[in-house]
Amino acid sequence: MEIMREIDMETEFIKFQRHIKDKSVATIKSYSQNYKKLREKVGKDLQEVPLEDLVLDIGQMSDSYASQKAFANVWSICNYQMLLKETHQSYIKYYKHLDEQIELQLRAKHKQIKSDIIPMETLIKHEDKLYENEEFNKFVACFIVRNCYCRNADLNITIVGDYDDVNSDDNFIVVNDKKSIVIRQDYKTNKTYGRIEVSFTDKRFVYACKQLNYGDKLFPGADNPAKLQNRLKNALYTNEVQYLNTKIDDIAKTGDLKELKIVSERRGSGLDQLITSYNLNF
């Protein structure tokens, strides 16, 4: 009986966290943050908030329909999934409305993205300049972002000369005689896509990797996300999302879905995510 009373006294947030515990680390963090923001806004447990009030509240919290959808997801978990209740038709209708508005916002966003596309030739010329100036760590960073389509945080990466130096948790570049292997294990969607390994035999890339100190990070001293971000501002021609936009724009022109699949596998993103969030226009 004592155990039952302790369970009953648990806060809605604790029960919510238990319900989402099997999701990815990034999803848990996002859901938890959105729960707290929404709970603070409404001033009571989400199970006490009727749908009519929710619509008004989240409309005041953000102009982004994607953000409104994220808050609605949290409310739905508390009011349907956690209570083992069937989703009400009024919520389904509201959710569909959010999806329609998101689609309109995405179209406007994609139109802007396509007007700001940076030609692939420009990105490669930037790498050429870094290589010629022997700024090899910056060259390696640009090459990986352009060819692995990865996020900035993935460049928290260590250079090693032997595969035996790779552990099961972190990111590495294994430098062999004629190839370099980029291994990513600590990245946003690793719970879904697991360990990603990509081998490159590009002579300049392999040579540049050999010029780096084994055992060091790609950017020594970038021991937190802010410092890494600052180093990358001085390395990448533009932000990593625009590198991805450039690649996807090229794919959209050719309609090469096999190439899109490669992007999906190397980045660790679903095809649906790539198509809806970037500038594809098939």
Side-chain angles (χ1 to χ4, degrees), residues 142-195:
C142 291
F143 186 95
I144 292 175
V145 170
R146 183 171 62 83
N147 290 281
C148 291
Y149 323 108
C150 62
R151 305 164 182 86
N152 278 349
D154 299 17
L155 273 297
N156 179 21
I157 194 165
T158 302
I159 319 300
V160 296
D162 195 308
Y163 211 94
D164 290 339
D165 295 326
V166 174
N167 63 34
S168 59
D169 300 314
D170 302 314
N171 301 331
F172 295 90
I173 302 174
V174 182
V175 185
N176 292 336
D177 185 39
K178 295 184 178 180
K179 69 178 179 180
S180 290
I181 307 166
V182 178
I183 300 174
R184 287 157 43 230
Q185 303 172 111
D186 180 16
Y187 64 100
K188 183 177 180 180
T189 56
N190 67 330
K191 292 285 186 180
T192 302
Y193 296 94
R195 178 174 175 144

Side-chain angles (χ1 to χ4, degrees), residues 16-31:
F16 175 78
Q17 286 188 306
R18 184 183 296 115
H19 188 83
I20 64 173
K21 64 181 177 60
D22 292 330
K23 297 185 180 297
S24 70
V25 173
T27 299
I28 291 173
K29 181 179 179 181
S30 176
Y31 276 24

Side-chain angles (χ1 to χ4, degrees), residues 95-135:
Y95 203 76
K96 181 179 179 182
H97 166 73
L98 291 178
D99 278 338
E100 291 170 348
Q101 296 305 311
I102 289 171
E103 176 66 23
L104 292 175
Q105 287 188 333
L106 280 173
R107 287 179 185 175
K109 174 187 173 184
H110 292 176
K111 184 176 180 180
Q112 181 62 45
I113 287 173
K114 289 186 76 66
S115 69
D116 294 336
I117 287 294
I118 297 169
M120 186 67 71
E121 294 79 8
T122 300
L123 301 179
I124 293 174
K125 285 181 180 178
H126 176 66
E127 290 176 23
D128 292 343
K129 183 177 180 181
L130 293 173
Y131 188 85
E132 291 166 4
N133 292 339
E134 299 187 353
E135 297 181 81

Side-chain angles (χ1 to χ4, degrees), residues 6 11 46 76 87 107-108 113 185 198 217 229 240 260:
E6 288 179 359
T11 65
L46 302 189
S76 175
T87 305
R107 287 179 185 175
I113 287 173
Q185 303 172 111
V198 186
K217 296 282 189 180
Q229 182 78 7
E240 87 283 5
L260 182 63

